[in-house]
């Protein structure tokens, strides 16, 4: 990771001495920029199974192919030039072609944050946790479920910034449904860039919105710096099965053209958009993802791109998607193995749940899916906080509980340190059989850092808990998010940059009529 | 696994034809007898770390030693004869001695259930799930927390019997505090043997209660069968650090002498009964456990014994034990590796939580600890259902939620089947890009078994959930346990055996005055 200039220097605005003073004055929330795992991945599939899945993906690409719909002619032309067989919208990929194209994709890259201390390295042994993404509704224990607004959006950006255990500001943390559809991206990107100093995701819903997102990042990071470095990413969904829509591919190419990052994610609900058996769904996802990632390399070799994973299952009773269920949880381990074999950073989804409340179901499902993502080696973990209601709702209380779990996972991923000191032979020699270790030297040296200290769990004796009002976790989380928002302080920002951003947003809004669909 | 005679034949009572008719008439709850895992264990520690921990355990045994307190002279004499260095109550173990003694311990064994279809194989790739153990309190959503009674005890035995996802009846599913301390074991064992037909745990609190437990098992299984086969086990705690108490060692020897099973479990709260660093705590636990397991082999070579794991952490704020926390969760992976290297079946603890309610905290912590146990290769999973309040309370609602999680883990441990059928190439050839898989042949062949179907999760759309009363998981679980108890039917039992058991209990009770402490 090369050192990066501070924001003011990068943008060519302001005085670097002032910027440095400012940075040291307001360090913001503590916590590492990202996690570098000390534990291995959990590789459940043998080589033979992996080869069979890769072979099926190759057959899908070769025999069935993928349709590029909606008229993205340059994308289709890229594939024709690369050697694919094009028949109208249908593209078939000779065996080995996609892997060849992907050779220029980086295994690891840095997404820069406007606070250099919060830049994230994506790939390798690193894990970056970002809030949930895309819910039209928000909910909290006081007001229940309602459509998200720009105020909710800003609140979740503030909550993510304030948590020491999230590393990234995310993207559409909720839909700000009170802002016209065609202008939302401007207010969302502005919020990420001004209310947080973490890395963030830009718009993906139309090519011009991608261009706006990149342009706003250029204002903050400086055009020259942004040309050479990843300063914004977009999260793109495949239209499974086996369709890439022009809205997505033009956006993917726009980010890649600007040397910015893309996350390529199939959403396969087994039995609907893909086979009902995990092996087939994984093969399909592998094919779809690799083609999306490869498209970035055809647009601009070397552009950063991430292999995304979003396996899901289905309720046979209601037909609803289900989350935090066992089949996708264990299936994701294989997806992780495939991503590493493909040489691409891996995105997984974290704290999934279909519950409508931050209750026992919610956190049970969340831990199941979150640990799956950790074990399979996720490098970028979208949906790490707030996800409820099958992604339809972003929950304030769940956000707090999830962020606390993210904290616990920092300790989990640090693994067990085994050395002379931690083996504690000195303590065994000091403490006799039947004695206690509370006051021994070894305990004194280590107790402050030995155990993760949850901010939301109740670990008091029952009597104390009862005297304190018998609160459940949701009630404690409700109090906590209000406290965090009340204590929030915006990270410092060069006024000239802020004004330039606001001017850009105002100008772009003035160029468009409001569109509500 | 050799075929076992049915209960009536084994005991020499009743008519085998009648017994067979009875067995086929009332099969009882569905579900497999135990799980044989298709997924590998998650081995996080490299060889070098394992050797360092084993070396530290050997040094603890050699240099510090373990005290056998309370006057179990035969146990101490066993160790002296085996070559240990005995100095009063302190026993020091020359390097290699314990491993040598353990060579006769079986890697895998069958604990027989009175219904042969429910006998469990403990060890190897098998996992057996049993309810939580030892809580003095019970709680439910209607009546809150209160002392457990024999009625509660019987209810939990019925709930465990009725669940298709538990495999074992457990032991002290709650303390029946309305029965005198010295007579409880009789009522508890009677409940396991009559209200369930699953395998069970007997008493461990005094040698004579162990003898009673074995005697009652002999009545059911027949003395000759019980002499050659494991039909009851006891779960024994080390008095950490490094003390084995005579109450425990006489009980361990009594089970081993009868060729019955023992589970040997240190409970180390890091920083109190052991080092605050996981590596040291694991080394200590390894030393304590191996000595307990080895004692069984000195008493009777070949007696079945299980290596137990119960790592815990501590709240720095309250000093309480904490459960479902990250350090023990990842540390347990190493314990699993050590148990396999020692050649012993592994017991872990499952659905831990310190929460006082079956809320988000409860199931978040539970899934963290339960998945840890699954990943580390647990063969016998005590505390799989009901655990709340740091083990002080057995919860009716949590029992239901946990048992449902146990069900999900059946699918999880089945892994991802990768073969020509599951890879679904036929489906990709049938369904065009942009099509859907709902009606294709492949989906029709597989949809009924593709996905785990939770009985407690709500997967309805929000509107349906809202119309149905906006229930949380606790409310649904509350309704469920009442329904299960209402629908409970006792498994069939030979009347002569039942009478013999009841006569035994009545006689033994008449021989003792009530003791309440």
């Amino acid at each position: 990771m090369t050192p990066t200039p501070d924001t003011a220097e990068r943008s060519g605005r302001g005085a670097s001495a002032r910027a440095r003073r400012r940075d040291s004055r307001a360090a913001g929330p503590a916590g590492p920029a990202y996690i570098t795992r000390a534990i291995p991945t959990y590789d459940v599939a043998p080589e033979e199974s992996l080869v069979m899945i890769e072979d099926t993906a190759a057959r899908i690409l070769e025999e069935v192919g993928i349709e590029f719909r909606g008229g993205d002619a340059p994308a289709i032309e890229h594939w024709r030039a690369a050697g694919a067989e094009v028949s109208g919208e249908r593209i078939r990929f000779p065996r080995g072609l996609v892997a060849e194209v992907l050779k220029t994709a980086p295994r690891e890259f840095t997404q820069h944050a406007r606070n250099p201390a919060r830049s994230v390295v994506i790939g390798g042994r690193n894990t970056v946790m970002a809030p949930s993404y895309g819910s039209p509704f928000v909910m909290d224990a006081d007001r229940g479920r309602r459509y998200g607004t720009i105020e909710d959006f800003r609140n979740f950006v503030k909550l993510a910034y304030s948590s020491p255990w999230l590393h990234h500001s995310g993207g559409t943390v909720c839909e700000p449904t009170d802002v016209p559809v065609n202008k939302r991206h401007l207010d969302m990107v502005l919020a990420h860039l001004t209310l947080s100093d973490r890395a963030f995701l830009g718009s993906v819903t139309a090519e011009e919105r991608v261009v706006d997102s990149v342009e706003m990042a250029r204002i903050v990071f400086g055009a020259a710096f942004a040309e050479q470095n990843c300063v914004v990413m977009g999260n793109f969904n495949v239209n499974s099965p086996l369709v890439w829509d022009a809205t997505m591919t033009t956006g993917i190419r726009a980010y890649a053209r600007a040397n910015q990052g893309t996350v390529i994610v199939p959403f396969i609900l087994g039995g609907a958009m893909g086979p009902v058996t995990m092996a087939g769904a994984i093969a399909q996802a592998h094919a779809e993802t690799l083609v999306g990632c490869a498209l970035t390399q055809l647009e601009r070799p070397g552009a950063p791109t991430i292999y995304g994973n979003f396996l899901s299952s289905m309720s046979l009773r209601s037909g609803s998607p289900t989350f935090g269920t066992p089949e996708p949880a264990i299936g994701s381990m294989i997806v992780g193995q495939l991503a590493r074999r493909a040489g691409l950073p891996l995105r997984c989804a974290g704290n999934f749940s279909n519950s409508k409340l931050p209750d026992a179901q919610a956190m049970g499902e969340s831990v199941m899916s979150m640990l799956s993502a950790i074990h399979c080696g996720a490098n970028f973990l979208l949906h790490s906080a707030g996800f409820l209601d099958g992604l339809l709702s972003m929950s304030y209380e769940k956000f707090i509980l999830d962020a606390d779990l993210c904290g616990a996972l920092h300790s989990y991923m640090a693994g067990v340190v085994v050395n002379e000191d931690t083996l504690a032979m000195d303590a065994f020699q000091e403490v006799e059989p039947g004695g206690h270790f509370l006051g021994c030297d070894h305990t004194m040296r280590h107790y402050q850092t030995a155990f993760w200290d949850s901010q939301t769990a109740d670990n008091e004796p029952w009597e104390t808990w009862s005297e304190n009002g018998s609160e459940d976790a949701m009630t404690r989380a409700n109090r906590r998010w209000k406290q965090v928002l009340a204590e929030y302080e915006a990270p410092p920002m060069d006024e000239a940059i802020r004004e330039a951003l606001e001017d850009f947003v105002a100008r772009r809004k003035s160029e468009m009529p409001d569109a509500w669909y």
Side-chain angles (χ1 to χ4, degrees), chain A:
Chain A
M1 185 181 165
T2 50
T4 57
D6 77 57
T7 302
E9 283 171 342
R10 269 182 256 155
S11 66
R13 290 188 184 86
S16 66
R18 193 177 68 216
R20 277 195 300 274
R21 244 192 345 267
R22 191 185 59 212
D23 284 353
S24 67
R25 199 175 59 222
Y34 51 90
I35 305 173
T36 301
R37 65 193 295 134
I39 57 174
T41 54
Y42 183 25
D43 296 343
V44 303
E47 171 76 14
E48 183 193 355
S49 297
L50 299 174
V51 169
M52 287 172 74
I53 294 171
E54 287 169 338
D55 179 66
T56 301
R59 285 188 64 192
I60 293 169
L61 291 176
E62 197 168 20
E63 299 173 20
V64 182
I66 286 185
E67 292 203 350
F68 276 64
R69 294 186 180 168
D72 184 2
I76 294 176
E77 187 47 40
H78 273 322
W79 281 115
R80 191 196 314 272
E85 180 199 318
V86 176
S87 170
E89 295 183 319
R90 184 78 65 99
I91 303 182
R92 291 184 175 82
F93 305 81
R95 195 168 279 249
L97 172 62
V98 175
E100 183 62 33
V101 171
L102 278 168
K103 280 186 176 167
T104 53
R107 284 182 170 267
E108 183 176 306
F109 65 93
T110 299
Q111 183 186 357
H112 294 271
R114 74 172 173 94
N115 178 347
R118 301 202 204 283
S119 293
V120 293
V121 181
I122 298 176
R125 298 183 69 84
N126 307 311
T127 297
V128 173
M129 295 174 172
S132 193
Y133 184 110
S135 298
F137 299 101
V138 299
M139 53 169 71
D140 66 60
D142 306 304
R143 298 202 284 158
R145 189 206 213 215
R146 60 195 188 275
Y147 276 104
T149 64
I150 190 67
E151 187 190 347
D152 292 308
F153 188 98
R154 290 175 185 141
N155 283 342
F156 284 113
V157 171
K158 291 175 183 176
L159 289 173
Y161 168 72
S162 303
S163 170
W165 309 122
L166 291 170
H167 312 113
H168 196 281
S169 197
T172 307
V173 289
C174 69
E175 280 290 343
T177 62
D178 53 345
V179 179
V181 169
N182 59 335
K183 298 179 179 177
R184 278 178 200 170
H185 65 291
L186 297 165
D187 287 333
M188 291 196 279
V189 172
L190 185 66
H192 284 301
L193 281 171
T194 56
L195 301 177
S196 179
D197 61 8
R198 298 192 190 276
F200 73 102
L201 299 174
S203 181
V204 298
T205 51
E207 185 177 0
E208 67 168 9
R209 298 173 199 160
V210 173
V211 171
D212 283 341
S213 301
V214 172
E215 194 51 45
M216 291 176 74
R218 283 183 175 143
I219 290 171
V220 171
F221 289 89
F225 187 86
E227 181 60 27
Q228 297 300 322
N229 294 280
C230 177
V231 296
V232 58
M233 300 201 296
N235 184 73
F236 291 91
N237 277 120
V238 188
N239 201 354
S240 302
L242 303 176
V243 173
W244 270 108
D245 188 83
T247 307
M248 296 290 112
T249 56
T250 52
I252 289 170
R253 291 193 301 104
Y255 275 117
R257 203 154 56 241
N259 203 23
Q260 300 308 307
T262 47
V263 190
I264 306 295
V265 196
F267 170 43
I268 299 179
L269 179 56
M273 298 91 101
V276 76
T277 49
M278 275 291 133
I282 292 169
Q284 177 188 330
H286 192 58
E288 294 172 340
T289 306
L290 291 183
V291 165
C293 290
L295 178 62
T296 66
Q297 301 306 299
L298 295 175
E299 186 74 21
R300 177 160 172 168
T305 186
I306 299 176
Y307 181 116
N309 168 36
F310 194 121
L311 285 178
S312 183
S313 51
M314 183 170 63
S315 165
L316 294 174
R317 281 181 286 175
S318 69
S320 301
T322 50
F323 298 100
T325 46
E327 298 84 5
I330 198 70
S332 291
M333 307 299 173
I334 298 181
V335 178
Q337 293 178 273
L338 294 172
R340 283 188 290 285
R341 287 160 69 96
L344 293 167
L346 172 66
R347 187 217 107 162
C348 289
N351 277 309
F352 276 179
S353 174
N354 216 356
S355 183
K356 317 306 176 292
L357 292 170
D359 64 351
Q361 177 185 346
M363 286 314 289
E365 291 175 343
S366 284
V367 176
M368 174 74 88
S369 62
M370 191 69 175
L371 279 179
S372 164
I374 296 299
H375 292 147
C376 82
N379 300 117
F380 184 62
L381 246 168
L382 205 61
H383 305 303
S384 288
F387 189 117
L388 265 190
D389 188 15
L391 190 48
L392 289 175
S393 299
M394 185 78 169
S395 156
Y396 281 83
E397 287 83 15
K398 178 91 172 353
F399 191 100
I400 294 295
L401 296 170
D402 286 344
D404 195 63
L405 173 63
C406 290
L409 292 170
H410 284 65
S411 294
Y412 187 86
M413 292 173 83
V416 177
V417 177
V418 180
N419 59 34
E420 199 176 330
D421 183 33
T422 61
L423 284 164
M425 199 61 215
D426 62 319
F428 296 115
Q429 278 154 345
E430 181 181 343
V431 179
E432 290 290 288
H436 66 74
F437 289 72
L438 289 169
C440 77
D441 279 352
H442 183 268
T443 302
M444 290 295 104
R445 284 204 306 278
H446 290 282
Y447 81 95
Q448 284 186 306
T449 56
F451 299 125
W452 158 247
D453 185 22
S454 168
Q455 295 297 307
T456 67
D458 182 278
N459 286 311
E460 298 296 322
W462 187 87
E463 292 74 11
T464 311
W465 170 80
S466 184
E467 285 160 17
N468 289 341
S470 303
E471 291 178 341
D472 66 2
M474 178 169 71
T475 306
R476 295 191 295 273
N478 178 269
R479 192 167 53 242
R480 178 84 186 142
W481 68 258
K482 292 172 184 169
Q483 182 192 345
V484 172
L485 287 182
E487 293 172 357
Y488 166 82
E489 285 183 48
M493 186 171 216
D494 188 293
E495 274 308 315
I497 296 175
R498 181 193 302 275
E499 280 167 27
L501 283 172
E502 287 168 353
D503 289 351
F504 179 87
V505 168
R507 177 173 64 78
R508 288 289 292 132
K509 283 188 171 178
S510 75
E511 292 167 1
M512 298 179 264
D514 287 357
W516 286 101
Y517 51 87

